[in-house]
Amino acid sequence: MSLLANLSWGSVYFASEWLIRLAMLIVVPFRRSPEAAKGWLLFVFFLPWPALVLYHIIGRPNYPRWRRERFARLPVVFKGVADRVRALTERQEPELPENLKQAATLIQNLGRFPSVDGNSVELLCSYDESINRLIADIDRATGHVHLLFYIFADDRTGWSVIDALAHAVERGVTCRVLIDALGSRAWAPRVVDALRQRGVAVRLVLPVTLLRRKSARADLRNHRKIAVIDGMIGYVGSQNIVDADFRPGITNQELVVRATGPVILELQGVFVADWFLETQEILHTPDLFPTPAHTGHVVAQVLPSGPDYPEASVGRLIEAMVHGARRRVVITTPYFIPNEGLLHALGTAVLRGVEVHLVLSKPADQLLVSLAQRSYYAELLGAGIRIHLYRDKLLHAKHMSVDRRVSLIGSSNVDMRSFTLNSEVSLILFDREVNAELRTEQERYFASSEELSLDTWKARSLASKTIENIARLVSPLL
């Protein structure tokens, strides 16, 4: 009797696995890229029940219903803010060659922010310098300080910023801070407590708990790094508020933009929208959007992206910029897991005679991502794309230059997570001088890197190739 019962339960389980496979074959491909669909279906084929559970948790790149409802209210809630930004900024179409004009139009259509003239930009390549400049600007703030960061630690760097915010509050400055709940999970309770004790308004973004009805999905994060001081100075880039060596054995190398001028109102708009999504508080006082001073001649544009903006994928912009390139493309990123569209764009650019460089980090902090990334190297090298592996430090900087006219600097990596799952922000700069300065930094990367050759890469062991290609099978899920 016991044997029959076991056979019966075994039959039921076997049948349930095939029901899951067949059902997921219909469900998974809907509104999903072919690469992601293939990854999920492979997982489902081998482990149906674990795949079903994981798919229920993270299978769809959608925020909770409450957040989607709040985001739907943004056009109405912030109509006054949007009108003021449009009134205060002088829209100017950047003077670009014909091959890049469509990319500029795409940025505006995706992110809803126009290109604006009259900005000044500094590239901060030193980790300590960018923190010191931020603190100096906080120390000079007279109205407000807004910070939005994926990681805000309570280490030496974090406390230097906490102290600066505390002094600003003592002077009567309003300070607001948004911190991603999962990115800062190791430090969040202490940082939040320290900031609140010092009078700073602080919120954790997208908290994840098992029992809360409004808990967010663990894999949908706010990965932005934004600072806005008095609506006149802004910071954006790859650097978090944490010590450069916060991971044992790894030191980060970053790049941050410090900007002034009308484009800061667009960065402010991204922060104000995120603040509303977390608190339902509408920030619309005139001091948040002051009449901007023209501080330079750089034409700039902000692109927010993420699940809130399903059409505004930074991946689409990167592909368009590669397709529009005529001379040279350099992409710098710590995590490179491209989709088929980007792979095709890069290979086609080489065939058109474009010089294409990828600057990636030799030290790695995420093993599975690193293995999956390495599985693309042979294909990229075979297509004529030059790969530079930055030595010594984890090159965490995220930027791109096209020809001599367009630069993109922000928080987005070149992978599905940044293209689809994370909320990111990018600053696009249409300026020859800024591009030249970025090219100088890229040349420094080249000099501090090992350039891969196809023959040497193909000579690695069969075990390495096997492990990397297995990791590649799940790369659409990373």
Side-chain angles (χ1 to χ4, degrees), residues 246-449:
F246 74 99
R247 294 186 183 93
I250 294 177
T251 301
N252 280 19
Q253 174 74 42
E254 310 282 0
L255 189 139
V256 174
V257 176
R258 181 187 184 273
T260 61
V263 77
I264 304 308
L265 301 185
E266 298 184 357
L267 283 178
Q268 184 82 292
V270 176
F271 178 90
V272 166
D274 280 0
W275 184 265
F276 171 78
L277 291 173
E278 295 303 322
T279 67
Q280 297 195 74
E281 180 185 358
I282 302 173
L283 305 177
H284 57 71
T285 54
D287 64 297
L288 299 182
F289 297 92
T291 301
H294 282 215
T295 59
H297 55 77
V298 176
V299 176
Q301 201 168 3
V302 170
L303 174 67
S305 59
D308 284 329
Y309 305 83
E311 300 301 321
S313 168
V314 67
R316 296 177 68 176
L317 171 60
I318 291 174
E319 285 182 36
M321 292 173 69
V322 172
H323 280 302
R326 290 296 179 269
R327 294 184 179 85
R328 189 175 193 250
V329 172
V330 181
I331 298 175
T332 302
T333 179
Y335 312 119
F336 184 82
I337 301 180
N339 56 28
E340 290 297 325
L342 181 56
L343 279 174
H344 182 267
L346 292 169
T348 302
V350 173
L351 292 175
R352 296 198 321 270
V354 178
E355 186 181 327
V356 179
H357 298 261
L358 294 179
V359 186
L360 309 173
S361 182
K362 186 174 182 179
D365 63 340
Q366 297 187 27
L367 178 60
L368 187 58
V369 174
S370 176
L371 290 171
Q373 174 174 301
R374 289 160 59 93
S375 73
Y376 290 91
Y377 290 174
E379 181 178 354
L380 293 164
L381 292 167
I385 295 160
R386 300 174 65 179
I387 299 177
H388 309 263
L389 299 182
Y390 190 78
R391 299 184 297 263
D392 303 327
K393 293 183 179 181
L394 174 66
L395 185 58
H396 193 249
K398 311 159 200 297
H399 49 81
M400 175 181 184
S401 66
V402 176
D403 297 339
R404 297 182 179 275
R405 299 299 301 271
V406 184
S407 309
L408 182 154
I409 303 171
S411 65
S412 178
N413 300 303
V414 182
D415 59 9
M416 192 195 78
R417 178 159 299 282
S418 286
F419 290 177
T420 307
L421 302 177
N422 286 340
S423 294
E424 307 282 3
V425 65
S426 303
L427 181 65
I428 301 89
L429 305 162
F430 303 96
D431 187 81
R432 290 182 182 275
E433 293 179 10
V434 172
N435 191 274
E437 188 177 348
L438 184 59
R439 284 169 65 99
T440 298
E441 182 66 6
Q442 291 165 344
E443 295 292 342
R444 190 186 69 77
Y445 293 161
F446 295 163
S448 301
S449 299

Side-chain angles (χ1 to χ4, degrees), residues 44-63:
V44 168
F45 181 82
F46 284 105
L47 297 169
W49 276 103
L52 180 64
V53 172
L54 190 62
Y55 189 84
H56 178 71
I57 297 172
I58 66 169
R60 292 291 183 184
N62 294 323
Y63 281 129

Side-chain angles (χ1 to χ4, degrees), residues 80-391:
V81 171
D83 291 344
R84 180 164 177 79
V85 170
R86 280 193 293 269
L88 291 174
T89 57
E90 291 187 13
R91 177 174 175 173
Q92 175 181 316
E93 295 294 338
E95 295 180 4
L96 296 174
E98 287 297 327
N99 59 294
L100 288 177
K101 282 186 177 179
Q102 288 186 333
T105 302
L106 175 64
I107 297 166
Q108 180 176 317
N109 290 337
L110 291 177
R112 307 174 189 174
F113 287 119
S115 55
V116 289
D117 197 3
N119 305 287
S120 177
V121 166
E122 298 177 74
L123 303 187
L124 305 178
C125 306
S126 164
Y127 200 101
D128 290 337
E129 180 190 7
S130 63
I131 293 294
N132 292 337
R133 293 291 298 277
L134 174 62
I135 290 172
D137 285 330
I138 294 173
D139 287 341
R140 289 190 291 267
T142 59
H144 65 269
V145 175
H146 290 164
L147 303 182
L148 165 56
F149 283 87
Y150 179 66
I151 295 177
F152 195 136
D154 68 338
D155 54 13
R156 177 184 58 83
T157 298
W159 272 106
S160 66
V161 176
I162 291 172
D163 289 340
L165 292 171
H167 295 150
V169 171
E170 291 172 359
R171 299 194 309 271
V173 176
T174 300
C175 297
R176 300 180 180 94
V177 175
L178 289 171
I179 307 169
D180 186 83
L182 199 61
S184 300
R185 64 189 180 280
W187 311 277
R190 298 184 298 275
V191 171
V192 169
D193 184 61
L195 290 172
R196 285 177 176 165
Q197 287 184 11
R198 288 158 177 79
V200 177
V202 56
R203 296 290 188 278
L204 288 179
V205 178
L206 298 168
V208 178
T209 60
L210 294 176
L211 300 178
R212 284 185 56 186
R213 181 178 63 85
K214 293 187 176 182
S215 176
R217 268 177 44 178
D219 62 328
L220 298 182
R221 309 316 315 159
N222 193 318
H223 194 242
R224 294 171 180 145
K225 292 92 175 168
I226 295 174
V228 178
I229 294 93
D230 291 337
M232 301 176 69
I233 301 171
Y235 289 77
V236 64
S238 63
Q239 188 168 335
N240 290 290
I241 300 178
V242 65
D243 288 347
D245 57 353
F246 74 99
R247 294 186 183 93
I250 294 177
T251 301
N252 280 19
Q253 174 74 42
E254 310 282 0
L255 189 139
V256 174
V257 176
R258 181 187 184 273
T260 61
V263 77
I264 304 308
L265 301 185
E266 298 184 357
L267 283 178
Q268 184 82 292
V270 176
F271 178 90
V272 166
D274 280 0
W275 184 265
F276 171 78
L277 291 173
E278 295 303 322
T279 67
Q280 297 195 74
E281 180 185 358
I282 302 173
L283 305 177
H284 57 71
T285 54
D287 64 297
L288 299 182
F289 297 92
T291 301
H294 282 215
T295 59
H297 55 77
V298 176
V299 176
Q301 201 168 3
V302 170
L303 174 67
S305 59
D308 284 329
Y309 305 83
E311 300 301 321
S313 168
V314 67
R316 296 177 68 176
L317 171 60
I318 291 174
E319 285 182 36
M321 292 173 69
V322 172
H323 280 302
R326 290 296 179 269
R327 294 184 179 85
R328 189 175 193 250
V329 172
V330 181
I331 298 175
T332 302
T333 179
Y335 312 119
F336 184 82
I337 301 180
N339 56 28
E340 290 297 325
L342 181 56
L343 279 174
H344 182 267
L346 292 169
T348 302
V350 173
L351 292 175
R352 296 198 321 270
V354 178
E355 186 181 327
V356 179
H357 298 261
L358 294 179
V359 186
L360 309 173
S361 182
K362 186 174 182 179
D365 63 340
Q366 297 187 27
L367 178 60
L368 187 58
V369 174
S370 176
L371 290 171
Q373 174 174 301
R374 289 160 59 93
S375 73
Y376 290 91
Y377 290 174
E379 181 178 354
L380 293 164
L381 292 167
I385 295 160
R386 300 174 65 179
I387 299 177
H388 309 263
L389 299 182
Y390 190 78
R391 299 184 297 263

